[in-house]
């Protein structure tokens, strides 16, 4: 009978082992799951920043452009709609919009239906950039997934994370 190969150890294993040594009464499975999600998110954020940097945008700026692009033609939303989608304060959104507008990637114009409102529209240059950036970002994400999981495992993980995300109300 062959024994199964033990799973590789990671820093989260060390943390939960330390807790087990000093507090064996604790169930650290939630800590292990969310610790890994947090560390994975942080690691991927760095990789995504590197993927977008040659295009001259940050992840946050990419998110604004991608939200406009995903909205479909005419690629226009209000600053409030963008803020709600991206979970940003209006001040944080204004800074991103200012930078992206200076770069010619979007424009702001008066809202024809609300004289106090604005509309943000993706420019042709912005559309081309975000189309290139999404491909670069997906390549980084695909590389990370394929380095550890087969297609079936990736699908399963996606489903489990969807279930967890839905349950938390996020």
């Amino acid at each position: 009978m062959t024994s199964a190969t033990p799973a590789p150890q990671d820093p989260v294993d060390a943390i939960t082992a330390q807790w087990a040594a000093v507090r064996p009464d604790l169930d650290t499975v939630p800590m292990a799951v969310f610790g890994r999600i947090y560390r994975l998110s942080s690691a991927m954020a760095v990789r995504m920043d590197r993927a977008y940097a040659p295009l001259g945008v940050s992840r946050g700026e990419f998110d604004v452009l991608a939200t406009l692009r995903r909205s479909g033609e005419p690629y226009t939303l209000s600053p409030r709609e963008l803020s709600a989608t991206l979970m940003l304060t209006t001040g944080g959104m204004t800074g991103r919009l200012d930078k992206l507008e200076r770069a010619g990637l979007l424009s702001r114009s008066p809202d024809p239906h609300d004289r106090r409102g604005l509309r943000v529209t993706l420019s042709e240059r912005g559309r081309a950039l975000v189309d290139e950036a999404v491909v670069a970002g997906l390549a980084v994400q695909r590389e990370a997934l394929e380095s550890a999981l087969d297609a079936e495992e990736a699908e399963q993980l996606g489903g489990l994370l969807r279930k967890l995300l839905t349950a938390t109300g996020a």
Side-chain angles (χ1 to χ4, degrees):
M1 181 176 199
T2 61
S3 62
T5 304
Q9 299 290 298
D10 65 20
V12 176
D13 290 318
I15 292 167
T16 56
Q18 289 169 332
W19 276 113
V22 299
R23 288 286 311 272
D25 59 306
L26 294 177
D27 172 11
T28 58
V29 170
M31 181 186 297
V33 169
F34 290 102
R36 287 186 178 99
I37 290 171
Y38 175 78
R39 286 170 178 262
L40 180 60
S41 176
S42 295
M44 289 306 296
V46 170
R47 291 181 184 192
M48 298 306 288
D49 281 335
R50 281 192 217 126
Y52 299 144
L55 301 170
V57 293
S58 68
R59 271 181 304 121
E61 294 156 357
F62 167 81
D63 288 343
V64 171
L65 298 173
T67 300
L68 289 166
R69 178 69 167 104
R70 291 190 320 264
S71 73
E73 288 191 49
Y75 313 114
T76 301
L77 295 169
S78 72
R80 178 169 288 151
E81 290 168 321
L82 282 166
S83 292
T85 299
L86 299 173
M87 297 181 290
L88 273 177
T89 64
T90 53
M93 180 57 66
T94 299
R96 286 185 191 176
L97 294 178
D98 287 346
K99 183 175 180 197
L100 293 168
E101 188 171 36
R102 280 192 304 273
L105 302 174
L106 57 78
S107 63
R108 287 180 275 196
S109 58
D111 186 332
H113 305 293
D114 177 2
R115 64 187 177 135
R116 295 174 297 156
L118 290 174
R119 302 299 289 171
V120 179
T121 303
L122 189 63
S123 70
E124 282 301 317
R125 185 168 169 222
R127 182 176 169 188
L129 185 140
V130 76
D131 283 353
E132 185 177 351
V134 74
V135 170
L138 280 170
V140 167
Q141 292 168 342
R142 184 173 295 105
E143 179 184 327
L145 274 177
E146 290 176 354
S147 72
L149 306 174
D150 64 32
E152 185 178 327
E153 289 170 325
E155 284 288 329
Q156 183 181 17
L157 179 59
L160 291 170
L161 289 171
R162 178 186 309 106
K163 187 175 182 179
L164 184 58
L165 188 62
T166 301
T168 63

